[in-house]
């Protein structure tokens, strides 16, 4: 089931870096960017995370929290965050509950073999908890800028 633009995103709680739990309802009143990436410490995911990291001051100014999500374990997420100096939480979604909620697990092909994996996707949730915008099948170059522009525009409307 895919979420529709304007629909309230169902609440969830998930383990995250820094020995924390991210609960969507606790972020009400702020905009939230949730981006899903296939695997910690791989080149595309490192670039994407760095692009968000380098724009955090602008996201903060637009009252927007950024959260990264993958199926990696917490230790892998902690190492990835520390090594890349990410200034936002990374969720460990080993049971795929958050991935399933956002419908980002897709059949992918690598080296001729099919497997289920995360389709690189980003979701912008407004301060009321409704889905404002979504990007699926994301290409990393220029993506963080596009998400930031959408977050800034949404912030200005509110």
């Amino acid at each position: 089931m895919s979420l529709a633009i304007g629909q309230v995103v169902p609440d969830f709680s998930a383990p995250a870096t820094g020995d924390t739990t991210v609960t969507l309802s606790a972020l009400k009143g702020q905009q939230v960017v949730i981006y899903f990436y296939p695997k910690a410490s791989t080149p595309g995911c490192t670039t994407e995370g760095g692009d968000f990291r380098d724009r955090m001051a602008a996201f903060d100014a637009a009252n927007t929290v950024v959260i990264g999500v993958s199926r990696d374990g917490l230790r892998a997420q902690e190492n990835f965050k520390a090594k890349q100096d990410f200034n936002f939480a990374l969720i460990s979604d080993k049971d795929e509950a958050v991935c399933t909620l956002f419908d980002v697990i897709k059949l992918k092909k690598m080296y001729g073999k099919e497997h289920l994996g995360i389709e690189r996707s980003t979701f912008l949730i407004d301060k009321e908890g409704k889905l404002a915008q979504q990007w699926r099948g994301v290409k990393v170059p220029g993506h963080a800028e596009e998400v930031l522009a959408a977050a800034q525009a949404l912030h200005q409307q509110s």
Side-chain angles (χ1 to χ4, degrees):
M1 179 199 89
S2 277
L3 295 167
I5 300 295
Q7 180 184 348
V8 173
V9 177
D11 197 20
F12 66 85
S13 288
T17 48
D19 206 20
T20 62
T21 298
V22 170
T23 301
L24 185 60
S25 58
L27 300 172
K28 215 174 206 145
Q30 296 175 287
Q31 297 177 167
V32 181
V33 167
I34 300 179
Y35 80 95
F36 291 84
Y37 57 95
K39 188 149 182 56
S41 301
T42 56
C45 300
T46 300
T47 300
E48 184 177 27
D51 288 348
F52 280 111
R53 175 198 63 216
D54 296 346
R55 289 163 181 77
M56 274 315 292
F59 278 109
D60 288 344
N63 190 31
T64 305
V65 178
V66 174
I67 302 164
V69 183
S70 77
R71 299 184 302 179
D72 294 289
L74 266 178
R75 181 177 298 173
Q77 296 289 52
E78 292 285 4
N79 291 342
F80 188 35
K81 180 177 177 174
K83 189 172 180 192
Q84 300 303 326
D85 204 22
F86 290 157
N87 44 9
F88 51 85
L90 298 179
I91 287 176
S92 168
D93 192 31
K94 282 181 93 67
D95 65 1
E96 299 179 1
V98 183
C99 290
T100 301
L101 177 67
F102 286 90
D103 190 31
V104 297
I105 301 290
K106 303 291 180 196
L107 195 59
K108 299 168 86 176
K109 265 195 166 129
M110 189 189 275
Y111 308 120
K113 288 189 169 52
E114 289 188 336
H115 69 284
L116 286 173
I118 291 179
E119 176 185 51
R120 194 180 301 278
S121 306
T122 302
F123 300 86
L124 175 60
I125 301 167
D126 71 15
K127 61 185 190 180
E128 305 301 319
K130 293 182 185 145
L131 184 62
Q133 210 163 333
Q134 61 183 333
W135 296 262
R136 293 181 178 273
V138 166
K139 301 285 180 253
V140 173
H143 179 61
E145 293 95 330
E146 192 181 332
V147 175
L148 175 60
Q152 289 169 328
L154 185 62
H155 179 62
Q156 273 157 16
Q157 290 167 18
S158 58

